[in-house]
Amino acid sequence: QEYQDNCDRNAVEGIFGTAKTAYGLARVTARLQETTFCVIGVALLLLNRTKSLGRLLSYFASCLWPHFAGVAE
């Protein structure tokens, strides 16, 4: 059980590390606790939306690629 908890914790900490570097969570300068939670929540929402949009665009590109490849010939 402890091993599984450590594995889960590592996955979550990796996501927070990515959010800190890529989305600027390390630069949060909010003074109030409520404001800090709000800023972090918005940043994590942005992280999730960015991943979802990337998957959606990848799906559309894979669906449309055969159509455009056939036109180029």
Side-chain angles (χ1 to χ4, degrees):
Q1 178 65 29
E2 185 178 345
Y3 176 76
Q4 184 62 39
D5 289 343
N6 286 334
C7 290
D8 294 341
R9 189 176 305 116
N10 284 339
V12 170
E13 287 177 3
I15 292 170
F16 274 109
T18 300
K20 279 184 175 181
T21 56
Y23 295 96
L25 281 184
R27 296 183 305 232
V28 173
T29 59
R31 302 220 185 261
L32 298 176
Q33 184 177 6
E34 295 85 12
T35 310
T36 302
F37 286 153
C38 183
V39 169
I40 291 172
V42 169
L44 293 177
L45 179 68
L46 176 64
L47 176 71
N48 289 334
R49 290 294 118 201
T50 303
K51 283 186 173 185
S52 298
L53 182 61
R55 283 191 220 119
L56 183 66
L57 290 176
S58 176
Y59 172 74
F60 282 136
S62 67
C63 289
L64 294 175
W65 182 255
H67 173 71
F68 288 120
V71 172
E73 293 177 357

